[in-house]
Amino acid sequence: MKLSLNQWTTRRWTVAEAVEGCVRHGVEAIGLWRQEVAAQGPAETVKLVGDAGLRVSSLCRGGFLTGGSQEAMDDNRRAIDEAAELGAACLVMVVGGLPGVPAGQGPGEGFSRDLPAARERVAEALTLLAPYAGERGVRLALEPLHPMYCADRAVLSTLGQALDLAEPYPVDQVGVVVDTFHVWWDPELFAQIARAGARIASYQVCDFLQPLPADVLLGRGMMGDGVIEFAPITRAVRQAGYAGDVEVEIFNADVWAADPDTVMSTMKDRFASLVLPL
């Protein structure tokens, strides 16, 4: 298990700066975001990452499938193509909340309270997207989000729900993300990690802050600054057979405002002292 920088942790850095930062700090992999890749240029990003000898541990993100629009499906196909071009280990899929509830906003046009129907739309979309991804050598990684994001970002709230959707497909087409911020609370977590086995496509870590800030999206903290005990989760993920990169993905205004090189140094220290010990 090797450390990876998810680009959003050092949000002030461009792709080029993040790649340079990884090289400078001896981090061997990077998780990229689509909008930042677009700003840098896909071909230039491929060259930067390749010249630096980095792995692309993930591309964020696809998903938002619950609205049922053709536009969303087309965008997900583009995301799959981008992941293939980058050689990303997986495309992270944040599947979307209730129809008509944009991320971070209240109900609007097309709003529906029908949660089972929203989850069924995700399942239906996967029947089209999984084969498309498989043809291009891309692995979709379904990410369950903490239940507080169910209405506007992800109707998948548990690892078990994500696995239920993934199971009809080959493991190299559809896997799951284990993100400590989102799943640490789940009483079924360790049983579901064991069940996941080779389905684990990405392991992401950050801490769960208490109290949460007013904008709960920014409640992700540096490991050790919140309430999560990481080592047992890491042990379970490793015992399930995962040997890939471990991404640190933090959404936090203070972390973003800090010097990115200081963030990188702290991230490495906390990874070694809190995440890896078994």
Side-chain angles (χ1 to χ4, degrees):
M1 283 181 157
K2 298 290 184 67
L3 175 61
S4 174
L5 170 70
N6 185 286
Q7 190 182 0
W8 225 238
T9 300
T10 53
R11 190 173 177 181
R12 288 163 50 188
W13 274 347
T14 64
V15 169
E17 290 168 335
V19 167
E20 292 168 1
C22 285
V23 173
R24 193 162 57 249
H25 289 273
V27 174
E28 300 176 8
I30 187 168
L32 296 170
W33 280 70
R34 292 180 65 201
Q35 58 267 51
E36 302 301 325
V37 171
Q40 186 72 49
E44 177 64 15
T45 299
V46 170
K47 185 177 188 306
L48 285 168
V49 171
D51 289 350
L54 299 181
R55 299 180 297 276
V56 179
S57 52
S58 74
L59 178 64
C60 292
R61 62 188 189 235
F64 291 91
L65 303 167
T66 52
S69 72
Q70 186 60 48
E71 181 181 0
M73 292 296 289
D74 291 343
D75 185 62
N76 275 280
R77 291 187 180 94
R78 287 192 295 271
I80 291 167
D81 293 341
E82 292 162 15
E85 183 177 4
L86 292 164
C90 65
L91 173 65
V92 174
M93 301 289 286
V94 176
V95 299
L98 292 172
V101 185
Q105 301 179 40
E109 183 178 353
F111 170 57
S112 170
R113 292 185 172 87
D114 193 340
L115 181 56
R119 289 176 174 145
E120 183 58 32
R121 282 185 173 180
V122 178
E124 291 170 356
L126 283 176
T127 65
L128 301 176
L129 292 176
Y132 186 89
E135 290 168 0
R136 286 150 183 81
V138 172
R139 192 179 196 190
L140 305 180
L142 303 177
E143 182 171 18
L145 267 57
H146 191 282
M148 63 186 169
Y149 301 118
C150 185
D152 69 335
R153 285 184 169 85
V155 295
L156 299 182
S157 301
T158 68
L159 189 56
Q161 288 174 321
L163 287 169
D164 288 345
L165 282 184
E167 281 182 342
Y169 304 98
V171 294
D172 60 351
Q173 280 187 19
V174 184
V176 297
V177 180
V178 177
D179 184 321
T180 56
F181 178 85
H182 293 301
V183 300
W184 71 275
W185 59 273
D186 186 355
E188 295 296 320
L189 176 60
F190 294 103
Q192 294 301 326
I193 288 174
R195 172 192 170 195
R199 292 272 176 197
I200 301 175
S202 178
Y203 179 37
Q204 296 182 333
V205 297
C206 72
D207 221 329
F208 190 101
L209 299 181
Q210 185 62 34
L212 288 168
D215 183 351
V216 295
L217 186 66
L218 305 184
R220 303 168 71 98
M222 185 65 70
M223 298 81 71
D225 289 349
V227 300
I228 297 175
E229 185 178 15
F230 292 94
I233 303 176
T234 299
R235 183 183 307 117
V237 168
R238 179 176 285 176
Q239 289 175 346
Y242 183 76
D245 294 308
V246 184
E247 281 189 13
V248 176
E249 183 188 53
I250 299 174
F251 290 50
N252 182 286
D254 292 335
V255 172
W256 291 342
D259 174 61
D261 281 298
T262 300
V263 171
M264 290 285 284
S265 295
T266 303
M267 179 183 79
K268 288 179 63 180
D269 290 344
R270 301 285 182 88
F271 177 75
S273 62
L274 298 176
V275 177
L276 280 188
L278 300 180

